Amino acid sequence: DFRSRLKVFVDSNRWKIQGKGHSIRQKGIDLKIQPIGDQFQIVANGITGKQNFGDVILAKAAAFTLIDNGKMGDFLSKRKSKN
């Protein structure tokens, strides 16, 4: 179910930690969670999201949700086709 897949994703040892940032490749998307001040942002295939999150776990959970429901893939496809 969604909740168990979310937990596996957030806790995955595939996350690489670089300074305070975290990165992973999921479903063909290069994903980074990067610090911005005391908040965190999602970066997908080099595109920085507009929403800030209070901690890394919340950002990872939001990224997983967007990947799982297909919205991130759709956004990245549309963005790619504009270029």
Side-chain angles (χ1 to χ4, degrees), residues 37-73:
D38 61 348
Q39 300 281 302
F40 292 86
Q41 287 182 322
I42 298 170
V43 180
N45 290 351
I47 301 168
T48 303
K50 294 179 180 176
Q51 190 171 358
N52 292 338
F53 300 89
D55 64 41
V56 171
I57 304 295
L58 291 173
K60 286 181 179 181
F64 177 80
T65 301
L66 291 170
I67 291 170
D68 190 65
N69 67 20
K71 289 183 179 180
M72 187 176 289

Side-chain angles (χ1 to χ4, degrees), residues 2-13:
F2 177 83
R3 192 168 276 189
S4 61
R5 289 183 294 118
L6 172 62
K7 180 170 177 27
V8 168
F9 177 78
V10 169
D11 295 338
S12 175
N13 61 5

Side-chain angles (χ1 to χ4, degrees), residues 12-40:
S12 175
N13 61 5
R14 293 184 306 121
W15 284 99
K16 308 280 186 265
I17 299 172
Q18 303 154 331
K20 291 185 179 181
H22 296 231
S23 64
I24 196 170
R25 185 162 178 85
Q26 182 78 5
K27 290 193 176 179
I29 299 170
D30 289 318
L31 194 62
K32 292 181 182 151
I33 307 297
Q34 69 181 15
I36 179 109
D38 61 348
Q39 300 281 302
F40 292 86

